Amino acid sequence: MNKRAPTNSDIAELLAVEAETAKHHVQRAFRKASRAAFLWPEEAADIHARGDALTALSAIGPFLEKQIRGWLEDAPRIPERPPLRKQFFSYTETQKILSSRPDWKENVRGDLQMHTEWSDGSGTVREMAKAAMARGYQYIAITDHAKKLKIAGGITEEQLAEQAAEIASINQTATNFKILRSIELNLDVQGAGDMDPASLEKLDIVIAAFHSSLRKTDDQTERYLAALKNPFVHILGHPRGRIYNYRLGLSADWPRVFSLAAKLGKAVEIDAYPDRQDLNVDLVAMAAEAGAYLSIGTDAHHPWQLQFIDFGLASALAAKFPQERILNFMQADQLKKWVASVKH
């Protein structure tokens, strides 16, 4: 028996396991709490030790509080995490990792994936910019979804041009800060995008990602190679397409994929959204070994979610990824030069 007090990450796993056999009316509560545990600001064990209520934690009501207190008072064996839930950091774990290198949080210059009201976000461009400036950033990339991802309110070429005018207006009044024009290009299985090349050529940087056929179990290497060869793509976004306890994501010959990214001077992304954390640590380490560049994007859909950057930073640090090859640590002018250097 493991008598160590369960961490938030352990509790997330215990809750997910309980959900698998729970009655339907409480199954959803277990699953919701399992995901929420990754964002709890403090270890539940510390809250319990103080005698404070666990109901202050997101998604925890009296029923689940009783369940968690039982685990904290008599620690159960923590089961081996299945691939569907493996290598996901909790917020408290990210803070522990980052505490060893304070410069990683201090030196971040920007966030390279976020969404606004133009697609499926709930914040305006100005609100996202204001939140980024409050964090001391030099830049952000506005990466609203492209037109064929209709479920996420994908924008058309015409809307992208309208957004450009809004961004230009904000940039004119900003000091030492720039909003980069971007988009999250939707890739088909052949690696082709869904926007007119003429529109893409006007952007500062382009992130592209797969959003369909994400449950295939056979090797998808060729699909990734084709995406990297797309001349309009600078960053390959959330490459695996995994989602915590929902979707495992795609498989590929990752060293081959990352080697091509390195050859072309392109970047692969850590999508730092807590439910995604994609790439995971093992793959980030492979990308580092291959010599690829890395981009970190929070995938924020609201200004407060810019704090998710810590999940990406912790993954990169844990994987020993060289800071000089992470786009987010580049000064704005360095990032511009990098974009110009990417091979097509």
Side-chain angles (χ1 to χ4, degrees), residues 26 42 49 82 161 166 168-169 191-192 229 238 240 267 273 281-282 315 320 338:
V26 294
E42 186 179 3
E166 180 181 357
S169 176
K229 291 174 184 176
H238 52 74
R240 285 189 65 194
Y273 204 88
V281 173
D282 285 349
S315 293
K320 299 184 166 101
W338 173 81

Side-chain angles (χ1 to χ4, degrees), residues 90-214:
S90 68
Y91 174 77
T92 49
E93 286 172 329
T94 68
Q95 300 313 294
K96 185 175 181 179
I97 292 168
L98 292 171
S99 67
S100 67
R101 288 287 303 273
D103 60 303
W104 276 64
K105 291 183 73 167
E106 294 166 0
N107 294 343
V108 174
R109 307 299 181 193
D111 185 335
L112 294 171
Q113 193 200 155
M114 65 186 65
H115 303 274
T116 73
E117 290 178 343
W118 282 93
S119 63
D120 61 341
S122 56
T124 65
V125 173
R126 187 176 295 277
E127 288 168 343
M128 301 305 278
K130 184 177 179 181
M133 285 188 276
R135 297 180 68 86
Y137 289 169
Q138 291 184 4
Y139 53 82
I140 55 171
I142 297 296
T143 58
D144 283 303
H145 288 289
K147 64 183 180 183
K148 286 193 176 179
L149 199 65
K150 294 181 179 179
I151 193 171
I155 61 177
T156 64
E157 289 84 355
E158 292 75 17
Q159 290 171 314
L160 187 63
E162 291 174 21
Q163 186 186 75
E166 180 181 357
I167 290 174
S169 176
I170 298 171
N171 279 338
Q172 284 178 356
T173 60
T175 303
N176 299 320
F177 180 82
K178 184 178 181 182
I179 303 172
L180 303 176
R181 289 193 60 211
S182 187
I183 197 166
E184 186 175 349
L185 192 66
N186 184 45
L187 297 171
D188 64 22
V189 292
Q190 285 78 40
D194 62 340
M195 298 290 279
D196 185 344
S199 292
L200 299 177
E201 287 173 345
K202 298 174 183 176
L203 300 179
D204 295 304
I205 192 168
V206 175
I207 183 171
F210 295 109
H211 296 99
S212 60
S213 301
L214 296 177

